[in-house]
Amino acid sequence: MANDFSKEEKVAFTELLEGFDDALVLSRAVSKYDMGEVEAERGSDTIWRPSPYIAQSFSGLDQTSNFGDSIQLSVPAQVGTVQSSHFQLNAKELRDGLQENRLAKAAHQKLASDINVAIMNTAADEGSVVVTRSGAATGYDDVAEVDAAFNELGVGMDMRNLALSSRDYNGMAGNLAARETMNTKPTRAYEKAFV
């Protein structure tokens, strides 16, 4: 038998989704794609998406030997992980809206954390630009090294994101905040290289 939700429960679910979206930090750095419910069902939660082209450049005016075929590639994208967090309240316990709200908030905080960790792990496992360090990131020099690597590859500013663990981020912020000789020029440099 299909679920039949009351209007009030649907409104509460909408409010839950609003709070859930606000709690996502790393997911704001990735694009979201909605393949649609019917397409997802008929395609077993898999869709083929076109891969972006990566152009090459050559020096000189005579380019006759550099022409080649262009191939459009598509890669399968699918829902690979399904996380859920649930709680159970009986009819009498549902009268206590405070407990229901607390349980719902705990559930969406946990799911938001799961999404952030999954995105961080995917970026770490599948990232192609790597800047090695023997220890944790500690300050501006670490960010400048990443910026230089992206500049050398021609990665646009709108495609760059730096994700740090909470400990690394706080350590780096502490390093930057401890600058004693901050005047307008270094302040502007730090603002342009915003972490």
Side-chain angles (χ1 to χ4, degrees), residues 89-153:
L89 296 173
N90 63 31
K92 288 186 177 182
E93 292 167 339
L94 279 171
R95 295 181 296 178
D96 186 351
L98 181 61
Q99 298 306 325
E100 181 183 9
N101 289 338
R102 287 180 178 169
L103 289 167
K105 184 175 181 180
H108 87 259
Q109 284 176 337
K110 175 58 178 149
L111 291 172
S113 175
D114 291 344
I115 290 170
N116 285 324
V117 169
I119 292 171
M120 178 79 88
N121 289 338
T122 300
D125 292 341
E126 299 179 15
S128 59
V129 179
V130 178
V131 175
T132 58
R133 288 285 189 254
S134 58
T138 58
Y140 182 78
D141 292 340
D142 298 301
V143 177
E145 188 70 26
V146 174
D147 182 55
F150 282 133
N151 287 341
E152 291 163 358
L153 292 171

Side-chain angles (χ1 to χ4, degrees), residues 53-84:
Y53 290 108
I54 300 175
Q56 293 182 330
S57 63
F58 304 93
S59 60
L61 293 176
D62 183 9
Q63 297 294 319
T64 55
S65 63
N66 296 325
F67 286 101
D69 295 330
S70 297
I71 301 172
Q72 181 179 3
L73 300 175
S74 295
V75 294
Q78 64 185 31
V79 177
T81 303
V82 177
Q83 295 289 111
S84 61

